[in-house]
Amino acid sequence: APPATVDAFTGPSPRAAIAPRIAPLQESADSTDGPAEESLQSFLQQNYPLFESLLLSKIPDAYSILRESDSANGYTIFCPSQSVMEGLDPKRKVQISDKRNEEVTEKLAAYHVITNGKVTQERLKREDWTVPRVDGVAALNIGGVVTVGGELRVGRSKSGGFMGWGAKEDGGVVIGNNEAKIVKSTNIGNGVVHEMDGFVAPDLIWRYFDQLRIPGF
């Protein structure tokens, strides 16, 4: 049988012109399972309350949509950690909470959600051995993912070095142009929640927030 197409994935890595098709994979050892009876909503409210209340809840019928996804192809959430949310500039927190910015906040949240596929770390890390290596490194099979908000690039994380020089790949995965790194992953039902060390949405989103003047800032 031909390999299944996963609509949550976009084209190949820029270094590899291949079709975005992959065969079903077993669960990654990088992921852990949440409590069997725990719902996605209760998991997020307990572990990522600021992301849940300030962002995800701003997507209309978010949980209804995710429940449908859970019973179909699964879902994926790139969830900024609680510390990332707590570390937001006070101005940003006010902008996100301002009702006049509801559409922009919804767009920001949408970049962190995939509703048509469970994208595990293993799938994101899978390499393509059908194309030549570049500088001794194999190309990633997956060059990006399509979220509700739009397309985001997928790359390898790096650590070490000084001022961006000499950093080496550390086996992790980054999402988006800001290279937010996956810290850990938890399977909830037929979906997965990736804890991120930053926002995956493009910086352009914040410029829309800045168009609204807020007294005191």
Side-chain angles (χ1 to χ4, degrees):
T5 299
V6 183
D7 293 332
F9 296 136
T10 67
S13 165
R15 297 183 296 179
I18 59 173
R21 289 179 172 271
I22 62 175
L25 299 174
Q26 295 181 346
E27 290 301 327
S28 169
D30 296 319
S31 300
T32 59
D33 293 323
E37 300 302 322
E38 186 170 28
S39 69
L40 172 63
Q41 185 170 6
S42 63
F43 172 78
L44 292 176
Q45 289 175 340
Q46 291 176 22
N47 295 277
Y48 308 101
L50 288 178
F51 170 77
E52 197 280 335
S53 61
L54 292 180
L55 291 180
L56 188 63
S57 64
K58 300 302 188 293
I59 300 177
D61 302 317
Y63 287 109
S64 295
I65 296 172
L66 289 168
R67 276 194 295 270
E68 293 180 6
S69 300
D70 185 60
S71 63
N73 296 323
Y75 62 84
T76 305
I77 297 178
F78 299 108
C79 181
S81 68
Q82 184 69 1
S83 61
V84 168
M85 296 298 297
E86 290 174 344
L88 265 179
D89 184 276
K91 176 182 177 181
R92 295 300 190 202
K93 291 180 180 178
V94 173
Q95 290 174 323
I96 289 175
S97 303
D98 196 306
K99 289 186 176 297
R100 294 171 294 177
N101 278 331
E102 283 185 347
E103 290 186 8
V104 183
T105 301
E106 180 185 338
K107 184 70 172 179
L108 173 63
Y111 268 105
H112 293 78
V113 179
I114 294 174
T115 58
N116 64 339
K118 180 180 180 179
V119 186
T120 64
Q121 282 198 61
E122 183 176 9
R123 291 186 172 189
L124 292 170
K125 292 178 180 179
R126 192 179 189 190
E127 297 178 340
D128 178 23
W129 296 92
T130 66
V131 298
R133 290 175 170 238
V134 177
D135 296 328
V137 179
L140 291 177
N141 203 349
I142 304 304
V145 291
V146 179
T147 69
V148 176
E151 182 178 333
L152 296 172
R153 65 175 290 274
V154 173
R156 291 183 170 90
S157 62
K158 297 181 179 180
S159 58
F162 178 74
M163 300 292 288
W165 292 93
K168 296 183 178 180
E169 295 177 358
D170 55 19
V173 177
V174 294
I175 307 295
N177 290 335
N178 290 323
E179 298 191 342
K181 184 178 181 179
I182 297 178
V183 178
K184 63 180 181 179
S185 305
T186 305
N187 297 310
I188 302 293
N190 194 30
V192 61
V193 176
H194 297 301
E195 179 179 313
M196 312 299 297
D197 69 357
F199 292 91
V200 302
D203 284 338
L204 179 63
I205 294 291
W206 297 108
R207 296 183 186 178
Y208 287 105
F209 281 114
D210 290 335
Q211 291 179 4
L212 179 64
R213 291 186 60 83
I214 300 176
F217 290 97

